[in-house]
Amino acid sequence: MATLSSTSERLLDAAERLFAAEGFAETSLRAITAEAEANLAAVNYHFGSKHGLIQAVLARHLQPMNAERLSRLDALDAEHPEGPSLRAVLEAFLVPAFAIGQGERGRPIFTLFARAHGSPDPALRRTFIAEFDDVAARFGPALQRALPAASMPDIFWCVHFVVGALYHTVSASGVLEAFSEGACRADDPATLDRLIDFAEAGVRSAARDGASS
Amino acid sequence: MATLSSTSERLLDAAERLFAAEGFAETSLRAITAEAEANLAAVNYHFGSKHGLIQAVLARHLQPMNAERLSRLDALDAEHPEGPSLRAVLEAFLVPAFAIGQGERGRPIFTLFARAHGSPDPALRRTFIAEFDDVAARFGPALQRALPAASMPDIFWCVHFVVGALYHTVSASGVLEAFSEGACRADDPATLDRLIDFAEAGVRSAARDGASS
DNA sequence: GTCTATACAGTGATAGAC
DNA sequence: GTCTATCACTGTATAGAC
């Protein structure tokens, strides 16, 4: 039973489940502590505030995702000393994110990322994006090397577009099912390939004119 | 003074300002009614609930945006009876959205769209995306005609990616300023051109292989 | 129809006992 | 570490004034 794990772990599990199902604001601490069989005050004791609990839930999934991005990029660098291809770098960036989005509790968790990224709470947003510092520092130069004709701002902007497409795909593809009248299914396994194709073509377009740096 | 306009208009103005600054959940009805110099119960009288007020705030900006998208597409169809180019169709779709994002109160309002799109409240999400029915019905075939080699699901998926990039760009470009250490500025006027270039290249990539329909 | 005052159940947070 | 009691604040509903 749940009571075998520690209180803070049970709180994290319960919070993740409820946040993903209902959203941050809509989930009360009382609902979380009831599901975790803990006292209301335990949240503030272990995590300081509801805000702190949200950050802890996010970090528990962000860190493995970004760690795998970095280890994939390390493997690529080892394989290709002259620098990996654009497509390979984009795959190293996108595949670990998709892997989370497709897991058993996948999509809801990724929805949490999207919500945190656009959260009105500046402190939450700041803590959240700080988790991406290492990824930005490693993937920026890798893309620059794969696409020497593009300027650094070109690359940053395109990655920004790709991130937007990724977020929207993993967190809001239900919308697409409605618009396409069922022709596009959110769990279509080909979606990742479509996104990588799209990202590669889009990013490559930054190198074509490259005027605006 | 504000008291010259009707109560419901003052409520909409105040709500828009506060929602954009703080978020939906973080803005209390008491703060809105105080800023609008109205009674607390006026929100429920005029809009039924806080939820109804949110929908009304969104609709006030969504309708002109989508109306301009459609009128731009009408103009294109009149100019090019054989069917407008892919780039022209994408411009008709993206430019009106950007115009809102760059207006005086622009970015905050667009942040509201992104929040609504990913809202945990299914009723809010449903009402929100219903505002796009006409746009989807008109732009889908227009893109199909501009890109005959692509299947309809190909096109829907790519538009989905483009929408994600658009949302992230207009609502979360502050993140990019941080990662690029100031090299990319959110108010760079070239951003729209970058996004259109990116979208065109990405969407065009769907027509290359076109296997997965 | 429009607006006001007020009451109510549920929220996050905290101080202090154990 | 845990729990109880309590705080100020939230969205909503309603009775009644104009």
Side-chain angles (χ1 to χ4, degrees):
Chain A
M1 291 306 294
T3 43
L4 289 180
S5 41
S6 74
T7 299
S8 63
E9 277 171 14
R10 278 179 289 126
L11 286 171
L12 284 171
D13 289 339
E16 179 178 313
R17 210 163 24 240
L18 293 171
F19 283 154
E22 310 286 341
F24 297 125
E26 292 74 8
T27 303
S28 71
L29 293 184
R30 284 165 178 82
I32 295 169
T33 51
E35 176 142 339
E37 297 176 43
N39 185 273
L40 170 61
V43 170
N44 277 310
Y45 176 75
H46 286 283
F47 302 99
S49 67
K50 183 180 185 180
H51 178 142
L53 176 60
I54 294 173
Q55 286 182 230
V57 168
L58 292 173
R60 204 162 58 141
H61 290 92
L62 269 178
Q63 280 157 1
M65 177 182 81
N66 283 335
E68 197 193 330
R69 281 172 163 168
L70 294 174
S71 91
R72 277 175 183 255
L73 190 55
D74 286 339
L76 283 177
D77 280 339
E79 268 182 70
H80 308 280
E82 76 289 359
S85 71
L86 172 62
R87 187 178 185 89
V89 174
L90 287 172
E91 275 177 3
F93 183 78
L94 291 174
V95 170
F98 244 74
I100 290 188
Q102 307 290 35
E104 192 191 341
R105 302 169 304 178
R107 192 158 38 242
I109 290 164
F110 219 90
T111 306
L112 295 186
F113 292 176
R115 271 182 210 152
H117 218 128
S119 165
D121 179 345
L124 171 58
R125 251 194 351 258
R126 216 172 309 123
T127 319
F128 181 72
I129 69 174
E131 296 279 349
F132 293 92
D133 278 347
D134 293 345
V135 169
R138 292 270 281 111
F139 275 80
L143 289 166
Q144 171 82 81
R145 198 156 55 148
L147 216 63
S151 73
M152 210 58 195
D154 287 337
I155 288 174
F156 269 114
W157 274 112
C158 283
V159 170
H160 199 239
F161 300 150
V162 170
V163 169
L166 169 67
Y167 272 57
H168 202 240
T169 300
V170 182
S171 72
S173 284
V175 174
L176 183 59
E177 288 196 24
F179 282 145
S180 69
E181 290 163 351
C184 301
R185 300 198 17 87
D187 55 0
D188 183 349
T191 303
L192 175 56
D193 288 326
R194 286 183 195 274
L195 179 59
I196 293 174
D197 285 344
F198 179 88
E200 184 184 6
V203 173
R204 211 173 278 286
S205 80
R208 268 210 318 263
D209 32 47
S212 35
S213 78
Chain B
M1 292 301 292
T3 42
L4 290 180
S5 40
S6 74
T7 299
S8 63
E9 276 172 13
R10 279 179 288 127
L11 285 172
L12 284 172
D13 289 339
E16 178 178 312
R17 210 164 23 241
L18 293 172
F19 284 153
E22 311 286 340
F24 297 125
E26 292 75 9
T27 302
S28 70
L29 294 184
R30 284 166 178 81
I32 293 169
T33 51
E35 177 141 338
E37 298 176 45
N39 184 272
L40 170 60
V43 170
N44 276 322
Y45 176 75
H46 286 283
F47 302 99
S49 67
K50 184 180 185 179
H51 178 143
L53 175 60
I54 294 173
Q55 285 182 231
V57 168
L58 292 173
R60 205 162 57 141
H61 290 92
L62 269 179
Q63 280 158 2
M65 178 183 79
N66 283 336
E68 197 191 331
R69 281 173 162 167
L70 293 175
S71 91
R72 278 176 183 254
L73 190 54
D74 285 340
L76 283 177
D77 280 339
E79 265 183 73
H80 308 279
E82 77 289 358
S85 71
L86 172 62
R87 187 178 185 89
V89 175
L90 287 172
E91 276 177 3
F93 183 78
L94 292 174
V95 170
F98 243 76
I100 289 187
Q102 309 290 36
E104 192 190 341
R105 304 168 301 178
R107 194 158 34 243
I109 290 164
F110 220 90
T111 306
L112 295 187
F113 292 175
R115 274 184 207 149
H117 218 128
S119 165
D121 179 343
L124 172 57
R125 251 196 350 259
R126 215 172 311 124
T127 320
F128 181 71
I129 68 173
E131 296 279 348
F132 293 92
D133 278 348
D134 293 345
V135 169
R138 291 272 281 113
F139 275 81
L143 290 166
Q144 172 82 81
R145 198 156 57 151
L147 215 65
S151 73
M152 211 59 196
D154 287 337
I155 287 174
F156 269 114
W157 273 112
C158 282
V159 171
H160 199 240
F161 300 150
V162 170
V163 169
L166 169 67
Y167 271 57
H168 202 240
T169 300
V170 182
S171 72
S173 285
V175 174
L176 182 59
E177 287 196 23
F179 281 144
S180 68
E181 290 163 352
C184 301
R185 299 196 19 86
D187 56 359
D188 183 349
T191 302
L192 176 57
D193 288 327
R194 287 183 195 274
L195 179 60
I196 293 174
D197 286 344
F198 179 88
E200 185 185 5
V203 173
R204 210 173 279 286
S205 80
R208 268 210 318 262
D209 33 46
S212 37
S213 77

